[in-house]
Amino acid sequence: MKIALYIILGLASALLIFNFTKIDYAAPLDGNSSVAVISVLACLCAILLLAILLISKRIEEKKKRRS
């Protein structure tokens, strides 16, 4: 499962970078640029949730080792 999480994290990061290139910074909320802004926010949320999940898995492993 850990490998799958890292793959999804990499894909979310790639989509984040791709969508940053699609944003028109002169008018970020017009046309296709608004879709890119929403996609950037969604990618940031996904990355944050995956980071929290990875940290919780590490805590779980350390807790099992102590027991």
Side-chain angles (χ1 to χ4, degrees):
M1 180 160 164
K2 229 179 196 183
I3 295 172
L5 291 176
Y6 284 117
I7 290 171
I8 295 170
L9 188 61
L11 289 172
S13 300
L15 280 172
L16 179 73
I17 293 168
F18 174 75
N19 285 316
F20 264 127
T21 63
K22 297 296 178 183
I23 296 175
D24 178 20
Y25 294 103
L29 298 177
D30 291 336
N32 287 338
S33 186
S34 64
V35 174
V37 170
I38 292 168
S39 298
V40 165
L41 292 174
C43 288
L44 288 173
C45 290
I47 290 170
L48 179 65
L49 289 172
L50 287 169
I52 291 170
L53 184 60
L54 285 170
I55 291 170
S56 69
K57 291 289 183 185
R58 286 184 196 160
I59 292 171
E60 183 181 357
E61 287 176 8
K62 287 183 181 181
K63 195 174 180 181
K64 283 183 180 178
R65 284 186 208 156
R66 281 189 175 173
S67 298

